[in-house]
Coordinates of all heavy atoms in Angstrom, one line a residue:
Q100 N 3.8 4.4 10.9 CA 3.5 5.8 11.1 C 2.1 6.1 11.4 O 1.8 7.0 12.3 CB 3.9 6.5 9.7 CG 3.7 8.0 9.8 CD 4.1 8.7 8.5 OE1 4.9 8.2 7.7 NE2 3.6 9.9 8.2
L101 N 1.2 5.4 10.8 CA -0.3 5.7 11.0 C -0.9 4.8 12.1 O -2.0 5.0 12.5 CB -1.1 5.5 9.7 CG -0.7 6.4 8.6 CD1 -1.5 6.1 7.3 CD2 -0.8 7.9 9.0
E102 N -0.1 3.9 12.7 CA -0.5 3.0 13.7 C -1.8 2.3 13.3 O -2.8 2.2 14.0 CB -0.7 3.7 15.0 CG 0.6 4.3 15.5 CD 0.4 5.1 16.9 OE1 -0.8 5.4 17.2 OE2 1.4 5.4 17.5
I103 N -1.7 1.7 12.0 CA -2.8 0.9 11.5 C -2.2 -0.4 11.1 O -1.0 -0.5 10.7 CB -3.3 1.6 10.2 CG1 -3.9 3.0 10.5 CG2 -4.4 0.7 9.5 CD1 -4.4 3.8 9.3
T104 N -2.9 -1.5 11.3 CA -2.4 -2.8 11.0 C -2.0 -3.0 9.6 O -2.5 -2.3 8.6 CB -3.5 -3.9 11.3 OG1 -4.5 -3.8 10.4 CG2 -4.0 -3.8 12.7
M105 N -1.0 -3.9 9.4 CA -0.5 -4.2 8.0 C -1.6 -4.6 7.1 O -1.6 -4.1 5.9 CB 0.6 -5.2 8.1 CG 1.9 -4.8 8.8 SD 2.9 -3.8 7.7 CE 3.6 -5.1 6.7
P106 N -2.5 -5.5 7.5 CA -3.6 -5.9 6.5 C -4.4 -4.7 6.1 O -4.8 -4.6 4.9 CB -4.4 -7.0 7.3 CG -3.4 -7.5 8.3 CD -2.5 -6.4 8.7
S107 N -4.7 -3.8 7.0 CA -5.5 -2.7 6.7 C -4.8 -1.7 5.7 O -5.4 -1.2 4.8 CB -5.9 -1.9 8.0 OG -6.7 -2.6 8.8
I108 N -3.5 -1.5 6.0 CA -2.7 -0.7 5.1 C -2.6 -1.3 3.7 O -2.8 -0.7 2.7 CB -1.3 -0.4 5.6 CG1 -1.4 0.5 6.9 CG2 -0.4 0.2 4.6 CD1 -1.9 1.9 6.6
T109 N -2.4 -2.6 3.7 CA -2.3 -3.4 2.4 C -3.6 -3.2 1.6 O -3.5 -2.9 0.4 CB -2.0 -4.9 2.7 OG1 -0.8 -4.9 3.4 CG2 -1.9 -5.6 1.4
K110 N -4.7 -3.3 2.2 CA -6.0 -3.1 1.6 C -6.1 -1.7 1.0 O -6.5 -1.5 -0.1 CB -7.2 -3.5 2.5 CG -8.5 -3.3 1.8 CD -9.6 -3.7 2.8 CE -10.9 -3.7 2.0 NZ -12.0 -2.9 2.6
L111 N -5.8 -0.7 1.8 CA -5.9 0.7 1.4 C -4.9 0.9 0.2 O -5.3 1.6 -0.7 CB -5.6 1.6 2.6 CG -6.7 1.7 3.6 CD1 -6.2 2.3 4.9 CD2 -8.0 2.4 3.2
V112 N -3.7 0.4 0.3 CA -2.8 0.6 -0.8 C -3.3 -0.1 -2.1 O -3.2 0.5 -3.1 CB -1.4 -0.1 -0.4 CG1 -0.5 -0.3 -1.6 CG2 -0.7 0.8 0.6
Q113 N -3.9 -1.2 -2.0 CA -4.5 -1.9 -3.2 C -5.6 -1.0 -3.8 O -5.7 -0.8 -5.0 CB -5.0 -3.3 -2.8 CG -4.0 -4.3 -2.6 CD -4.5 -5.6 -2.0 OE1 -5.6 -5.7 -1.6 NE2 -3.7 -6.6 -2.0
E114 N -6.4 -0.4 -2.9 CA -7.5 0.5 -3.4 C -6.9 1.7 -4.1 O -7.4 2.1 -5.2 CB -8.4 0.9 -2.2 CG -9.2 -0.3 -1.6 CD -9.9 0.1 -0.4 OE1 -9.8 1.2 0.1 OE2 -10.6 -0.8 0.2
L115 N -5.9 2.3 -3.5 CA -5.3 3.5 -4.0 C -4.6 3.2 -5.3 O -4.6 4.0 -6.3 CB -4.3 4.1 -3.0 CG -5.0 4.8 -1.8 CD1 -4.0 5.1 -0.7 CD2 -5.6 6.1 -2.3
E116 N -4.0 2.0 -5.4 CA -3.3 1.6 -6.7 C -4.4 1.4 -7.7 O -4.2 1.9 -8.9 CB -2.6 0.3 -6.4 CG -1.7 -0.1 -7.6 CD -0.9 -1.4 -7.3 OE1 -1.3 -2.2 -6.5 OE2 0.1 -1.6 -8.0
G117 N -5.5 0.9 -7.4 CA -6.6 0.7 -8.4 C -7.2 2.0 -8.8 O -7.7 2.1 -10.0
M118 N -7.1 3.1 -8.0 CA -7.5 4.4 -8.4 C -6.5 5.2 -9.1 O -6.7 6.3 -9.6 CB -7.9 5.2 -7.1 CG -9.0 4.7 -6.3 SD -9.2 5.8 -4.8 CE -10.1 4.7 -3.8
G119 N -5.3 4.6 -9.3 CA -4.2 5.3 -10.0 C -3.5 6.3 -9.2 O -2.8 7.2 -9.7
M120 N -3.6 6.3 -7.8 CA -3.0 7.3 -7.0 C -1.6 6.9 -6.6 O -0.8 7.8 -6.2 CB -3.8 7.4 -5.7 CG -5.2 8.0 -5.9 SD -5.1 9.7 -6.5 CE -6.8 9.9 -7.0
L121 N -1.2 5.6 -6.7 CA 0.1 5.2 -6.4 C 0.5 4.0 -7.2 O -0.3 3.4 -7.8 CB 0.3 4.9 -4.9 CG -0.5 3.8 -4.3 CD1 0.1 2.4 -4.5 CD2 -0.7 4.0 -2.8
K122 N 1.8 3.8 -7.3 CA 2.3 2.6 -7.9 C 3.2 1.8 -7.0 O 3.8 2.4 -6.1 CB 3.1 2.9 -9.2 CG 4.3 3.7 -9.0 CD 5.0 4.0 -10.4 CE 6.2 4.8 -10.1 NZ 7.0 5.1 -11.3
K123 N 3.2 0.5 -7.1 CA 3.9 -0.4 -6.2 C 5.0 -1.0 -7.1 O 4.8 -1.5 -8.2 CB 3.0 -1.4 -5.7 CG 3.0 -1.7 -4.3 CD 1.9 -2.6 -3.7 CE 1.3 -3.6 -4.6 NZ 0.4 -4.5 -3.9
E124 N 6.2 -1.1 -6.5 CA 7.3 -1.8 -7.1 C 7.9 -2.8 -6.1 O 8.2 -2.4 -5.0 CB 8.4 -0.9 -7.6 CG 7.9 0.0 -8.8 CD 9.0 1.0 -9.2 OE1 10.2 0.8 -8.8 OE2 8.7 1.9 -10.0
T125 N 8.1 -4.0 -6.6 CA 8.7 -5.0 -5.7 C 10.2 -4.8 -5.6 O 10.9 -4.6 -6.6 CB 8.4 -6.5 -6.2 OG1 7.0 -6.6 -6.3 CG2 8.9 -7.5 -5.3
D126 N 10.7 -4.9 -4.4 CA 12.2 -4.8 -4.1 C 12.8 -6.0 -4.8 O 12.5 -7.2 -4.5 CB 12.4 -4.8 -2.6 CG 13.9 -4.7 -2.3 OD1 14.8 -4.7 -3.2 OD2 14.2 -4.5 -1.1
P127 N 13.8 -5.8 -5.7 CA 14.4 -6.9 -6.4 C 15.3 -7.8 -5.5 O 15.5 -8.9 -5.7 CB 15.3 -6.3 -7.5 CG 15.4 -4.8 -7.1 CD 14.2 -4.5 -6.2
K128 N 15.7 -7.2 -4.3 CA 16.5 -7.9 -3.4 C 15.7 -8.8 -2.4 O 16.2 -9.7 -1.8 CB 17.4 -6.9 -2.6 CG 18.4 -6.2 -3.4 CD 19.1 -5.2 -2.6 CE 20.0 -4.3 -3.5 NZ 20.6 -3.2 -2.7

């Protein structure tokens, strides 16, 4: 959607998770 590389999004997601802005759940499948 944002046309940003997966590694860049992964890093931003980790930062946001650390800030308490989002939570991540692993797909059990």
Side-chain angles (χ1 to χ4, degrees):
Q100 180 177 339
L101 298 178
E102 299 179 346
I103 298 174
T104 65
M105 291 281 285
S107 293
I108 291 295
T109 299
K110 181 178 185 231
L111 291 165
V112 163
Q113 289 171 345
E114 292 170 359
L115 287 164
E116 188 177 25
M118 292 177 205
M120 297 291 169
L121 62 85
K122 62 181 181 174
K123 230 174 21 175
E124 292 180 9
T125 303
D126 182 352
K128 296 175 187 171

